[in-house]
Amino acid sequence: MEVAGMRKASSHASMAAAAADPDDFDLTRMLNHRPRINVDRQRSFDDRSLAELSISGTASRGGGGGGYPAMMESYESMYSPGGGLRSLCGTPASSTRLSFDPHPLVFDAWDALRRSLVCFRGQPLGTIAAVFVRDFVPSALAFLMNGEPEIVKNFLLKTLLLQGWEKRIDRFKLGEGAMPASFKVLKDAKRGGAERLVADFGESAIGRVAPVDSGFWWIILLRAYTKSTGDLSLAETAECQRGIRLIMNQCLAEGFDTFPTLLCADGCCMIDRRMGVYGYPIEIQALFFMALRCALLMLKPDAPEGKETMDRVATRLHALTYHMRSYFWLDFQQLNDVYRYRTEEYSHTAVNKFNVIPESIPDWVFDFMPSRGGYFVGNVSPARMDFRWFALGNFVAILASMATPEQAAAIMDLIEERWEDLIGEMPLKISFPAIESREWEFVTGCDPKNTRWSYHNGGSWPVLLWLLTAACIKTGRLKIARRAIELAEARLARDGWPEYYDGKLGRYVGKQARKLQTWSVAGYLVAKMMVEDPSHLGMISLEEDRAMMKPVLKRSASWTV
């Protein structure tokens, strides 16, 4: 079976040349800076638009392979993610096939990353003692970009196996689609030291909150693996198809919601402690959006419940696209509009649909918002708008094309205009600004770890460097990425690869930051590899599909009078 012009590969095959869809990149001006390398490139199923998967038509796994602009044909031939030799003696494979001299820190980072590997029954499975799903993503991308996909495949399969376990917290049973927050490899002394996996679905987490983001990251990583390797067979297995459907079913279940966004508890994502991100946090909505798009690309319509799930996903995407772009977006003009809102409006003609009280706008927003720039706010729900900036949600919004091209450019403008606030001396603020004093007491419950300008409360996290870099490449703002990477290179190794930094400018190693933090290492490596070979962006970027903004038309029963 051929899908969109790509030959089906064995899931056990070594790295194949993956497709770099022409729509995934806007980097043609870089063509003259690299020598041409002749590599056989094939398109993946990501070329299918939402229109081709419309709920009103017949979904098709096929697709034409023609129509590439000549310049993009040349671009695809020049860049080949994972197309070089495997790493030898810790040397990144990318440096063996590209004409650049790696920064000395790159070799130290690879050495640290390899020392963190965790094996299960002789097979590499992840990194660090407790393998957190979200934490492993940058490590997985680093291995994929370096032409080492097996560890990622092992991780995907073992995590999928854990999804099938019965999940209980006290006497309550979690949904079938829930993915673990983390798992450990333990040796069972009663069974002669045999290794076994022990998963945590939230029962061991602070506050006992299930990780909403784990399933989304798993789907996103499965798509990245497919893009990198060209191996469709893994995603098309009955087990993976079922895993995707279970995650989608849990997210798309009908309830009392009046919005297409996901209602979440506090602490259900990277910000896994009480920080006032309950409700509809931007991080979850952006990851949800990207997971929906990746699922739509990987689901098989001829699989059990495949077409039905695809129809539901497509319908949700239409609604979610409109909702996020309309109600979560804030720029100078929109801020001025909110400032002038009337309240207590009824009926469908209401302008202030969420009844946001203008007096609730914090003073700092008026000074923070530049005339050029904008961002997706942290949360929108009835009578509540969280105006804080959250980095991960905004960057994922760019990569998933939840943001329009104009909104994506405005987010990067904001980064430039507010460099000291959002980047400072160590990239990059997880949130801005910090909450303090009485507000900190009420919002965090006096959390001693999330004090002002520390940890999740305005702390600076080097791992976010890879997301910033990916967003910069997609929007053509590579100078921002290079400047941020240089800041990180000046201190990361010297400070012992800490988990996060404290202070308004990120000058101080975090007061409880762990050293030799694996995802700080991996985040740096992925950022470096993407800057040196921008075609890697195709693993974790989706081009805008204008069909998502078109209204969904379905036949309905007509009433006769």
Side-chain angles (χ1 to χ4, degrees):
M1 174 181 174
E2 289 193 6
V3 179
M6 175 178 277
R7 293 192 302 271
K8 188 167 180 177
S10 166
S11 62
H12 298 280
S14 61
M15 284 291 284
D21 299 339
D23 289 338
D24 276 352
F25 306 97
D26 186 18
L27 301 167
T28 53
R29 57 192 177 87
M30 297 183 180
L31 289 173
N32 297 326
H33 298 286
R34 300 277 183 138
R36 185 179 179 89
I37 302 173
N38 293 317
V39 179
D40 180 27
R41 301 300 296 275
Q42 304 158 348
R43 296 177 72 205
S44 76
F45 49 27
D46 284 18
D47 280 324
R48 297 173 299 154
S49 70
L50 191 58
E52 293 177 76
L53 297 164
S54 172
I55 62 173
S56 60
T58 302
S60 171
R61 294 288 290 171
Y68 280 63
M71 186 170 287
M72 288 310 303
E73 290 252 19
S74 174
Y75 176 80
E76 289 190 348
S77 297
M78 286 163 50
Y79 294 115
S80 173
L85 298 172
R86 285 181 177 269
S87 173
L88 299 174
C89 302
T91 302
S94 55
S95 67
T96 67
R97 67 178 184 270
L98 300 176
S99 54
F100 66 88
D101 294 323
H103 191 282
L105 195 59
V106 170
F107 296 97
D108 294 337
W110 272 111
D111 184 56
L113 186 61
R114 295 192 190 285
R115 287 200 308 269
S116 72
L117 283 173
V118 173
C119 291
F120 178 64
R121 297 175 182 172
Q123 295 293 324
L125 182 63
T127 50
I128 67 177
V131 183
F132 281 82
V133 174
R134 79 174 67 92
D135 295 21
F136 181 65
V137 170
S139 297
L141 294 176
F143 285 118
L144 288 175
M145 292 177 185
N146 202 47
E148 303 177 61
E150 283 303 309
I151 183 175
V152 181
K153 179 182 173 184
N154 293 339
F155 172 84
L156 289 167
L157 290 174
K158 289 297 186 292
T159 311
L160 184 63
L161 177 68
L162 296 174
Q163 183 195 40
W165 288 11
E166 183 178 272
K167 303 169 275 282
R168 287 185 180 272
I169 297 181
D170 293 332
R171 298 182 180 181
F172 182 73
K173 183 179 178 181
L174 278 66
E176 281 189 287
M179 283 286 190
S182 66
F183 58 88
K184 295 180 180 181
V185 178
L186 299 179
K187 291 187 177 182
D188 191 341
K190 296 181 180 179
R191 299 174 58 189
E195 292 181 336
R196 61 188 179 93
L197 296 177
V198 177
D200 170 28
F201 291 91
E203 67 270 26
S204 300
I206 298 172
R208 303 299 184 266
V209 179
V212 177
D213 62 340
S214 287
F216 300 152
W217 279 122
W218 184 86
I219 290 176
I220 293 167
L221 187 56
L222 177 60
R223 185 259 179 185
Y225 171 87
T226 302
K227 285 285 290 183
S228 173
T229 64
D231 178 4
L232 302 183
S233 62
L234 179 62
E236 291 184 348
T237 60
E239 294 77 12
C240 282
Q241 290 289 305
R242 182 176 184 273
I244 296 171
R245 287 198 309 274
L246 288 177
I247 295 170
M248 292 294 101
N249 289 341
Q250 188 157 355
C251 298
L252 301 176
E254 295 180 353
F256 292 97
D257 294 306
T258 54
F259 314 126
T261 42
L262 278 183
L263 182 62
C264 304
D266 215 340
C268 65
C269 49
M270 180 179 174
I271 298 178
D272 57 1
R273 301 169 74 93
R274 182 175 162 187
M275 266 290 292
V277 294
Y278 59 89
Y280 305 91
I282 181 61
E283 178 176 335
I284 290 298
Q285 312 315 319
L287 287 171
F288 179 38
F289 184 95
M290 191 166 192
L292 286 172
R293 292 201 63 192
C294 291
L296 193 60
L297 294 166
M298 293 187 293
L299 282 168
K300 298 171 61 179
D302 55 349
E305 303 178 32
K307 179 61 168 63
E308 177 188 352
T309 304
M310 293 171 72
D311 289 350
R312 294 169 64 203
V313 169
T315 301
R316 189 63 162 261
L317 271 171
H318 280 278
L320 187 60
T321 302
Y322 178 82
H323 186 91
M324 297 304 298
R325 291 177 176 179
S326 301
Y327 303 126
F328 272 67
W329 180 251
L330 190 72
D331 55 19
F332 182 85
Q333 183 58 53
Q334 181 64 13
L335 178 60
N336 206 161
D337 292 344
V338 174
Y339 176 69
R340 291 168 49 83
Y341 270 167
R342 294 180 179 179
T343 59
E344 308 299 327
E345 294 182 298
Y346 294 91
S347 85
H348 64 277
T349 60
V351 175
N352 185 3
K353 295 184 179 181
F354 294 90
N355 197 36
V356 176
I357 312 299
E359 285 74 18
S360 70
I361 303 174
D363 292 339
W364 65 264
V365 179
F366 296 104
D367 295 327
F368 177 71
M369 180 62 71
S371 56
R372 184 177 66 97
Y375 63 104
F376 290 97
V377 297
N379 219 311
V380 177
S381 57
R384 177 181 179 232
M385 183 175 284
D386 185 346
F387 290 89
R388 285 178 293 175
W389 152 271
F390 291 92
L392 193 152
N394 275 272
F395 293 143
V396 172
I398 292 175
L399 297 177
S401 289
M402 187 179 84
T404 66
E406 295 76 20
Q407 288 172 336
I411 292 171
M412 303 314 297
D413 288 340
L414 180 75
I415 295 286
E416 287 189 317
E417 293 287 333
R418 297 293 178 258
W419 184 270
E420 289 296 303
D421 292 328
L422 304 180
I423 306 295
E425 296 185 19
M426 174 56 67
L428 139 103
K429 289 293 178 197
I430 188 173
S431 63
F432 181 90
I435 51 179
E436 48 191 319
S437 302
R438 294 290 289 174
E439 185 183 15
W440 167 78
E441 294 178 9
F442 293 139
V443 172
T444 73
C446 301
D447 187 347
K449 196 166 186 177
N450 273 328
T451 54
R452 63 174 185 173
W453 305 115
S454 181
Y455 204 52
H456 300 140
N457 188 13
S460 299
W461 292 68
V463 64
L464 297 173
L465 191 61
W466 79 268
L467 283 162
L468 169 65
T469 301
C472 288
I473 295 172
K474 184 163 185 177
T475 56
R477 310 288 275 273
L478 216 50
K479 287 184 179 178
I480 296 177
R482 291 196 177 104
R483 184 180 173 190
I485 289 172
E486 288 176 2
L487 282 175
E489 286 176 336
R491 289 196 56 183
L492 276 179
R494 187 183 71 193
D495 293 338
W497 299 98
E499 179 183 15
Y500 64 95
Y501 286 76
D502 284 355
K504 198 168 185 178
L505 296 177
R507 297 181 65 187
Y508 304 97
V509 174
K511 60 183 177 182
Q512 296 187 42
R514 295 178 176 87
K515 296 294 187 76
L516 293 175
Q517 186 72 13
T518 304
W519 69 347
S520 295
V521 173
Y524 166 73
L525 283 174
V526 173
K528 286 291 286 187
M529 285 191 282
M530 281 195 292
V531 166
E532 290 155 357
D533 185 354
S535 71
H536 287 314
L537 177 68
M539 293 186 202
I540 37 88
S541 175
L542 294 165
E543 183 55 26
E544 181 181 23
D545 193 330
R546 296 189 182 279
M548 288 188 295
M549 290 304 295
K550 295 178 182 178
V552 180
L553 300 178
K554 298 184 67 175
R555 293 183 180 274
S556 58
S558 60
W559 291 83
T560 58
V561 179

